Amino acid sequence: MKNKNCIKNYLSLFALLFVFTTSVILHAQESRPKIGLVLSGGGARGLAHIGTLKLIDSLQIPIDYIVGTSMGGIIGGLYASGYTGNEIERYVLATDWNEMLSDSPPRSDMPYLEKKDDGKFQVELGINFLTPVIPSGFISGQMISLLFSDLTSAVGTIRDFDKLPTPFRCVAIDLITGSEVVLKKGSLAKAMRATMSIPTAFSPVEWGDSLLIDGGILNNFPADVLKEMGADIIIGVNVGSQLLSRKGLNTLLDILEQTMVLTDYPKQKENFKLCDVIIQPELDGFTTTDFEKEYVKEIVKRGISAAAESKDKLIDFKNKYVYDPLHSIADGVANNKEPIISSIIFAGKTSYNLEYLYELIGHAPNDTLNIIKLQDKISEMKTSGLFSEVKYSIQLIGKGFVNFHFNLVEKKQPVIYGFSIIGNNNLHFDFILNLLGVRAGDPFDKIKLKEQIKYMVSLGYFEEVSYIIEPVRDNYLRLIITVKEKPLRKLRIGYRYDDRFKIVGIIGLQATNFPILGMREELMIQFAGLFKVEYFAFYPSRTLNFPLYPYIRTSFKDVPRDYFDFTTGEKIAEYNDKSFTFGAGFGHIFKKSGAIRIEYQQESMNISTAISNIGPKYFNSSKDMLRVIHADLAIDRLDDPIIPRSGFTVNALYDFSDKNIGSPLEYRHFEIDGNVYGTIAHKHTMGLSGFYTISTNDFPNYKWTFKGGSNSFVGVKIDQIIGDNFGYLRFDYRYEFKKDIFLKAIVNGALYNMNKQISDISADGPIVGYGFGIKFLTIVGPFDLVFSRGSKSIYKNKEMQNVVYFTAGFIF
């Protein structure tokens, strides 16, 4: 009886202590000062914010409010959504920022018809009633908007930012009124996109009647907004550019950046005074646009170092203001060792098995408790979309042992109740809905939706497609799709320079869905050093899914050609390659990879000699009317057309000319070329290229193939290798010296079989050549300089010559 009374007394005492302790904890939490975090804008420099977030997480400092501008608004929005500093760091380091800060999906995801003209034009403008349309920003923001929608989908139905896991604000500017706008309601993804809309770089974001741009122009360090939210204690992280001295203002970019800093500098100084702790990473030498992987890693690293320097301040700050029962458990065990998990209990309705739940929290019974890892895993659970509620408690049950108790509310996969499409003017609602590939009643699958939106953008109809989700009722949502259509007509302009034709300009006109839906028309004009015109009309359908599409094609060319002596390598003839061609046929698109076409064509030749020292036999068919069955194949799997790092291309053609189809000449002609690239350690790229052509003896000399130059065969004059039966191999090595500077080495060799119309003499061995060069990437295209040495002529290929090539602009 006495023992029973003792046990009863102990239980009563334990209950009293538990109630007392719980009351003290709750009172401490309720009465402690509210802590706010402000993150400044700074473009790529803003990725340094991650260091402070990781430190705050490790010290278990509760953040009650968070405010950010520009990149600070993006990082802050993710943190407010429930992501930890570690998770944000993983996303940042794994993201290809150059891809995200573009308007196109990866080239490998683009349909062939949309990428076949990549790398030809420096300028592309829409046309509206014959008037060019100037874009509102260099970047529409398609890829970054899609990323934000994806990352915030777990809180996508929350419209009040006070109801996020951490109450949040971000700052933008209304371009119409010039006033500061504090975003606190609406779509979080759209708000994050708005706060980073640097004028001219990104298109403004429509927000009701406003057009929003980057808030950093007026308030890059919005501590005052945090104060208005109710923060008693403010931790600030400033990564914005500092004012430069007179000696530092040397370039146009320096002056422009200084101007941007000056606009909010007085307010920034006042907002600094509101902070209790200010962390300023050392980011000299880094600009707002340094999004290359090596720069991103270093910026994040410097942010971590800067936060570490403020660790003692934050620890003192925490000890003064914050009571943390979880950290007390870890610190209170014997010898400061992390405790062992005795048991884990999951309550609540869930269909997931126990092993999977252990995997979700990253712990199982008998594991050592890792508090940081546990926090990361719980944040992942909260943002995974699997659960609408995740609660847990930890109980110390003895020296060095704890029990976990989880309460989970499983979240059913939401169902799409309906759709709204905003911004479509030329494209019908049903057409856009068909492209989305989803219907009312389907489960909401954000991965599938993201892939479909990428496909929609790749078709070339849209400048931007984004989505937000709006709750309708329990487990049902409305999908709101906002589209920004591209003009159905485009004007594209480009240029190139080479040592043979000098400056050549190109103008391209493209019309979509004209004159009937699903039809495309293209007109290309090359001029100056040569003259070419091609018109191409075809019907691949609006979704590019016809198995066979019909087309017609007509072209005119007037190209000056040089002939070189096969023994001396000197120029001995010049003529104008002039003809008019009409063709009609069918094509098939290999979706993202390429296309094959076959057509019947009629070509009217009009060859005229300007200079000739080799007799009339070279031009004995200068007025032929050729009728040809033509086939061509194009495969393009390159990651980039200008600086390829991986992938391959194949181009082949076959011509059949015969008297049975009304042609005066009978011949067969075949050509094929290919390129394959691979990269090691990002900086070292190897390329292997090959070309081969063969023809029958009736193949006319004005149809011969011309090779030679920095983009085909180095060591010989441009177009010096001519004929109808030869082939070559070429190996390239390219080294990325700096971001936009590349060094390269080239070696190539050719085997030549001379056409009997020229001579019975055979070449005395392979033609060889090698070269070294440098390539610069500029806003108007690459500049390429190559120094080479190779065979002086086809017959006497042991004699060598030096040739220098300079090219600028794109290849077309």
Side-chain angles (χ1 to χ4, degrees):
M1 185 70 179
K2 186 176 181 180
N3 290 336
K4 290 183 178 180
N5 288 332
C6 288
I7 292 172
K8 184 176 181 181
N9 289 335
Y10 277 124
L11 290 174
S12 299
L13 179 61
F14 177 79
L16 182 62
L17 287 172
F18 176 79
V19 171
F20 175 74
T21 304
T22 303
S23 299
V24 170
I25 292 173
L26 291 174
H27 177 71
Q29 295 289 0
E30 290 174 358
S31 60
R32 69 166 176 80
K34 297 296 183 182
I35 303 170
L37 177 65
V38 56
L39 305 178
S40 78
R45 295 161 58 99
L47 300 176
H49 290 313
I50 292 169
T52 299
L53 301 185
K54 291 179 67 175
L55 180 61
I56 287 172
D57 289 343
S58 67
L59 295 178
Q60 303 290 296
I61 296 175
I63 299 298
D64 299 290
Y65 310 110
I66 186 165
V67 175
T69 297
S70 195
M71 183 59 79
I74 295 169
I75 300 293
L78 295 177
Y79 196 66
S81 300
Y83 290 96
T84 66
N86 282 330
E87 290 173 315
I88 296 173
E89 180 184 29
R90 286 197 294 270
Y91 278 115
V92 163
L93 296 180
T95 297
D96 184 338
W97 287 95
N98 287 324
E99 179 183 307
M100 285 299 110
L101 298 173
S102 70
D103 291 331
S104 300
R107 198 167 185 271
S108 59
D109 292 339
M110 294 174 63
Y112 173 74
L113 289 182
E114 286 299 312
K115 67 182 179 183
K116 67 181 179 66
D117 292 327
D118 266 5
K120 292 183 179 179
F121 304 96
Q122 279 85 359
V123 177
E124 179 175 307
L125 301 173
I127 298 178
N128 186 12
F129 296 108
L130 302 179
T131 303
V133 179
I134 306 298
S136 56
F138 287 110
I139 303 171
S140 171
Q142 168 59 43
M143 298 300 291
I144 201 77
S145 294
L146 203 54
L147 176 66
F148 292 164
S149 294
D150 185 21
L151 292 176
T152 62
S153 61
V155 294
T157 58
I158 296 176
R159 287 292 174 268
D160 184 348
F161 296 169
D162 283 335
K163 295 181 180 179
L164 292 169
T166 302
F168 172 70
R169 302 286 187 273
C170 63
V171 177
I173 296 172
D174 186 350
L175 188 60
I176 298 173
T177 64
S179 58
E180 179 182 328
V181 178
V182 178
L183 301 176
K184 56 185 177 180
K185 293 181 182 294
S187 163
L188 177 61
K190 191 174 182 180
M192 290 162 60
R193 168 65 179 84
T195 191
M196 61 161 282
S197 297
I198 301 171
T200 71
F202 286 91
S203 298
V205 172
E206 294 184 13
W207 193 284
D209 294 331
S210 301
L211 281 177
L212 300 185
I213 59 173
D214 193 322
I217 297 174
L218 294 181
N219 196 354
N220 198 48
F221 189 79
D224 55 330
V225 178
L226 203 55
K227 204 71 175 177
E228 291 175 5
M229 291 180 73
D232 302 302
I233 304 297
I234 295 178
I235 302 170
V237 187
N238 180 40
V239 297
S241 300
Q242 303 299 307
L243 285 177
L244 298 174
S245 65
R246 173 65 184 86
K247 292 181 179 180
L249 296 171
N250 299 315
T251 69
L252 177 63
L253 291 177
D254 293 335
I255 295 171
L256 181 61
E257 190 165 354
Q258 184 91 325
T259 304
M260 297 289 288
V261 173
L262 283 172
T263 55
D264 87 315
Y265 193 68
K267 187 167 189 176
Q268 189 176 116
K269 290 176 65 177
E270 292 300 314
N271 281 342
F272 282 166
K273 297 175 183 178
L274 300 176
C275 296
D276 298 272
V277 177
I278 295 181
I279 298 172
Q280 297 195 88
E282 176 54 56
L283 296 171
D284 287 349
F286 291 99
T287 70
T288 57
T289 60
D290 284 334
F291 284 102
E292 285 69 31
K293 281 189 178 294
E294 60 269 28
Y295 296 150
V296 168
K297 289 179 181 178
E298 182 61 26
I299 289 170
V300 171
K301 183 179 177 181
R302 293 197 183 188
I304 293 171
S305 297
E309 292 175 3
S310 301
K311 184 175 181 179
D312 291 341
K313 289 183 182 178
L314 290 178
I315 289 175
D316 293 342
F317 171 78
K318 176 191 172 182
N319 291 337
K320 183 177 181 181
Y321 294 112
V322 180
Y323 178 82
D324 184 0
L326 179 59
H327 201 69
S328 297
I329 290 174
D331 287 342
V333 297
N335 301 320
N336 288 322
K337 292 182 179 178
E338 292 181 316
I340 303 298
I341 300 170
S342 176
S343 67
I344 302 176
I345 299 172
F346 293 98
K349 184 180 179 182
T350 176
S351 58
Y352 302 109
N353 61 47
L354 200 57
E355 287 74 17
Y356 181 63
L357 293 173
Y358 289 156
E359 181 182 337
L360 287 179
I361 66 171
H363 292 78
N366 299 318
D367 286 352
T368 299
L369 173 61
N370 184 327
I371 293 176
I372 301 301
K373 180 179 180 181
L374 176 66
Q375 283 190 319
D376 283 349
K377 289 294 184 179
I378 289 173
S379 293
E380 288 178 9
M381 292 174 69
K382 290 178 178 179
T383 58
S384 67
L386 299 175
F387 306 97
S388 60
E389 188 174 21
V390 178
K391 293 183 178 180
Y392 72 98
S393 61
I394 302 177
Q395 180 186 16
L396 184 65
I397 61 172
K399 191 175 181 180
F401 290 90
V402 295
N403 281 342
F404 274 166
H405 189 279
F406 281 85
N407 190 67
L408 306 175
V409 178
E410 184 178 341
K411 188 176 182 180
K412 296 179 182 178
Q413 191 172 17
V415 176
I416 298 173
Y417 179 82
F419 301 88
S420 293
I421 297 177
I422 302 171
N424 57 312
N425 297 314
N426 299 309
L427 300 172
H428 195 269
F429 177 95
D430 291 336
F431 174 66
I432 297 175
L433 194 59
N434 183 55
L435 290 179
L436 280 172
V438 291
R439 294 289 183 270
D442 289 351
F444 173 65
D445 185 337
K446 70 173 185 179
I447 296 177
K448 179 182 176 182
L449 180 62
K450 181 173 69 173
E451 292 305 312
Q452 285 298 117
I453 287 177
K454 285 183 179 180
Y455 168 69
M456 289 173 65
V457 174
S458 73
L459 293 175
Y461 296 124
F462 305 98
E463 183 177 318
E464 185 177 357
V465 180
S466 60
Y467 74 91
I468 58 176
I469 53 180
E470 181 180 86
V472 177
R473 60 174 189 265
D474 184 39
N475 211 47
Y476 282 85
L477 57 84
R478 183 182 303 279
L479 200 57
I480 302 175
I481 306 294
T482 301
V483 301
K484 188 175 182 181
E485 295 177 347
K486 285 185 175 181
L488 296 180
R489 291 152 188 77
K490 299 176 186 176
L491 170 65
R492 301 181 290 184
I493 303 171
Y495 88 97
R496 77 166 191 258
Y497 173 89
D498 61 48
D499 299 308
R500 172 66 182 90
F501 297 108
K502 307 307 179 184
I503 289 194
V504 178
I506 183 171
I507 295 176
L509 295 170
Q510 185 183 77
T512 305
N513 292 335
F514 179 82
I516 60 175
L517 296 178
M519 188 170 177
R520 295 191 175 204
E521 294 176 275
E522 297 175 354
L523 176 66
M524 299 281 189
I525 304 173
Q526 297 182 41
F527 57 93
L530 53 81
F531 187 73
K532 289 183 179 180
V533 179
E534 181 178 43
Y535 171 77
F536 187 52
F538 57 113
Y539 187 82
S541 82
R542 290 193 293 173
T543 53
L544 308 182
N545 59 2
F546 264 28
L548 285 176
Y549 63 86
Y551 71 88
I552 59 171
R553 182 177 66 89
T554 184
S555 65
F556 174 80
K557 67 177 179 179
D558 186 356
V559 180
R561 292 293 188 188
D562 291 341
Y563 268 77
F564 296 87
D565 187 272
F566 299 103
T567 302
T568 65
E570 300 300 325
K571 177 180 172 181
I572 57 174
E574 180 181 314
Y575 76 99
N576 291 324
D577 182 5
K578 188 183 298 184
S579 68
F580 175 81
T581 304
F582 175 83
F586 292 91
H588 172 71
I589 304 170
F590 303 122
K591 294 185 178 178
K592 303 171 185 177
S593 299
I596 186 170
R597 303 184 305 185
I598 183 168
E599 70 179 46
Y600 172 82
Q601 64 179 219
Q602 180 172 297
E603 183 173 15
S604 176
M605 307 302 303
N606 186 16
I607 304 297
S608 59
T609 307
I611 303 171
S612 178
N613 299 321
I614 53 178
K617 68 176 182 178
Y618 279 80
F619 307 102
N620 56 4
S621 300
S622 60
K623 299 292 183 180
D624 289 331
M625 176 66 74
L626 302 178
R627 292 176 175 83
V628 178
I629 302 298
H630 170 86
D632 57 55
L633 168 71
I635 296 176
D636 183 346
R637 297 294 292 172
L638 293 182
D639 63 332
D640 185 271
I642 308 301
I643 302 291
R645 298 183 185 276
S646 63
F648 66 93
T649 64
V650 176
N651 290 278
L653 66 85
Y654 177 77
D655 285 338
F656 171 86
S657 177
D658 196 273
K659 292 181 179 179
N660 292 326
I661 58 174
S663 183
L665 300 176
E666 294 188 354
Y667 63 82
R668 316 289 183 265
H669 172 63
F670 174 74
E671 283 185 17
I672 185 169
D673 69 73
N675 306 272
V676 60
Y677 297 90
T679 299
I680 300 174
H682 187 72
K683 291 182 176 293
H684 306 274
T685 300
M686 272 67 71
L688 182 64
S689 307
F691 173 83
Y692 178 69
T693 181
I694 188 170
S695 308
T696 62
N697 286 338
D698 288 338
F699 189 61
N701 45 37
Y702 54 74
K703 285 286 188 178
W704 286 351
T705 301
F706 290 75
K707 292 293 181 181
S710 61
N711 293 312
S712 59
F713 194 96
V714 300
V716 301
K717 299 181 180 71
I718 296 176
D719 291 349
Q720 183 178 347
I721 301 178
I722 57 175
D724 63 347
N725 192 347
F726 68 92
Y728 66 78
L729 285 176
R730 165 173 164 156
F731 176 78
D732 288 66
Y733 167 74
R734 187 181 70 230
Y735 172 70
E736 183 178 335
F737 179 67
K738 288 190 175 181
K739 174 185 173 183
D740 295 323
I741 303 176
F742 301 86
L743 307 178
K744 59 183 182 177
I746 307 160
V747 59
N748 45 218
L751 289 176
Y752 203 97
N753 184 12
M754 180 58 64
N755 190 289
K756 299 301 181 182
Q757 296 182 54
I758 303 296
S759 174
D760 293 329
I761 303 174
S762 297
D764 59 2
I767 307 165
V768 296
Y770 59 88
F772 303 92
I774 185 169
K775 175 175 281 192
F776 300 89
L777 297 185
T778 74
I779 60 174
V780 293
F783 283 37
D784 208 341
L785 181 64
V786 175
F787 301 88
S788 70
R789 184 170 176 80
S791 299
K792 188 174 183 180
S793 67
I794 293 172
Y795 286 158
K796 296 182 179 180
N797 45 54
K798 297 297 190 292
E799 295 183 15
M800 305 296 283
Q801 63 181 349
N802 297 321
V803 183
V804 178
Y805 310 104
F806 175 72
T807 60
F810 296 144
I811 300 172
F812 49 83

